[in-house]
Amino acid sequence: MTDNSFAPSPSPSSSAAPQAEETDFGFRSVRKEEKKPLVRAVFDSVAGKYDVMNDLMSLGIHRIWKRIFVTELGPQPGLSLLDLAGGTGDISFGWLQGGGGPTIMTDINSSMLSVGRDRALSRGFVSDLSFAVVDAEAIPLKDMSVDRVSIAFGLRNCTDKMAVIREARRVLRPGGRFMCLEFSRVQVAALAPVYDAWSFKVLPTMGSMVAGDRESYQYLAESIRTFPDQETLAEMFREAGLSHVRYQSLSGGIAAIHSGWRL
């Protein structure tokens, strides 16, 4: 297990058309350059309690979603994985446990990556796993260099989501697959009011009690609501040049898995 050193490489997405000057940070509108430091502060705050809070937030269901996600990734010894926004390592570890090949676990937040590295050591992942602090909007890898790219519960925190999707496609080899697991739009009408109450009343309170941070969990709940719905995100995948795009809603649409291939 090593820290992976990335050599900077030109990113096509960095030359994209100019973006709007403001973006969302939960329900707030902030200047684009302010979002990454704000998101970094959120995850610096919650890193130590991230796994505990995920269990509380989802009543443990996130573990089932992640198992489905890793199975869909299709781990094989000859395939490599770039895990974006890898957080505390669940996807990378699942990939390796499933027989997947070399894995690069990345996150823009060094505090989260540090927790993931400690978890890797405690689980005995000492080979085929490297780490790097990486901004998913500008991945410092060569074109067509990995077989799979994953991002789980991280895309909604990115400032330029289209840049992330384009970058994922760029670094994929032909025949490679990009997959995203993210909170999505509830599709069961009866579930919506219960989910809203849980998100905006219960979660911030639990965040205050368990992690000592109400505001960060208020942001996390709000960020889910401002994220594109299933069809909108699928169209973004297509616009980025991915093929055979499809999605699978989970738990009534509370979460969804999107995937697309580079052909």
Side-chain angles (χ1 to χ4, degrees), residues 5-259:
S5 297
F6 281 67
S9 62
S11 166
S13 63
S14 65
S15 60
Q19 304 291 315
E21 292 215 354
E22 292 194 340
T23 188
D24 63 275
F25 178 73
F27 291 160
R28 292 166 51 195
S29 181
V30 299
R31 293 184 63 83
K32 280 182 57 184
E33 62 269 21
E34 294 176 331
K35 181 166 181 174
K36 287 178 185 176
L38 287 169
V39 170
R40 187 174 292 113
V42 167
F43 286 95
D44 281 342
S45 174
V46 305
K49 296 287 187 179
Y50 186 74
D51 292 316
V52 172
M53 285 304 299
N54 271 350
D55 283 332
L56 292 173
M57 287 169 67
S58 70
L59 302 178
I61 297 173
H62 76 100
R63 298 179 182 274
I64 298 173
W65 296 339
K66 288 173 180 174
R67 283 200 293 270
I68 295 169
F69 184 70
V70 170
T71 299
E72 282 289 314
L73 275 170
Q76 295 180 38
L79 298 179
S80 58
L81 171 69
L82 171 64
D83 185 14
L84 299 173
T88 56
D90 286 346
I91 304 306
S92 291
F93 303 160
W95 171 266
L96 292 169
Q97 288 170 337
T103 304
I104 306 170
M105 179 178 155
T106 73
D107 203 290
I108 196 172
N109 186 278
S110 58
S111 297
M112 293 291 291
L113 201 63
S114 178
V115 173
R117 186 186 294 109
D118 290 345
R119 290 185 75 208
L121 285 169
S122 70
R123 286 160 172 73
F125 292 111
V126 295
S127 62
D128 284 338
L129 179 61
S130 56
F131 299 85
V133 175
V134 168
D135 183 346
E137 297 173 23
I139 301 169
L141 281 178
K142 295 180 180 179
D143 295 358
M144 298 183 287
S145 55
V146 294
D147 300 297
R148 299 285 186 272
V149 179
S150 66
I151 186 166
F153 302 115
L155 186 57
R156 74 181 189 282
N157 297 309
C158 297
T159 304
D160 188 343
K161 297 169 182 61
M162 274 301 300
V164 175
I165 301 169
R166 290 191 181 105
E167 279 288 86
R169 183 191 180 279
R170 179 183 66 80
V171 301
L172 280 172
R173 296 188 177 105
R177 191 182 192 187
F178 173 50
M179 291 187 58
C180 171
L181 170 61
E182 189 54 88
F183 290 108
S184 197
R185 193 64 50 86
V186 173
Q187 297 175 319
V188 179
L191 182 60
V194 177
Y195 184 51
D196 283 344
W198 179 262
S199 298
F200 294 110
K201 294 182 180 179
V202 178
L203 291 188
T205 300
M206 285 198 303
S208 178
M209 294 173 62
V210 178
D213 186 349
R214 181 183 184 90
E215 290 186 1
S216 291
Y217 284 88
Q218 181 73 29
Y219 158 73
L220 292 173
E222 293 176 0
S223 69
I224 294 168
R225 298 309 192 277
T226 58
F227 190 71
D229 63 21
Q230 289 91 327
E231 287 290 348
T232 302
L233 185 58
E235 186 55 37
M236 291 170 69
F237 272 45
R238 297 183 191 101
E239 185 180 339
L242 292 164
S243 302
H244 300 301
V245 174
R246 65 182 181 86
Y247 64 84
Q248 174 186 0
S249 290
L250 305 170
S251 301
I254 292 176
I257 296 171
H258 283 71
S259 73

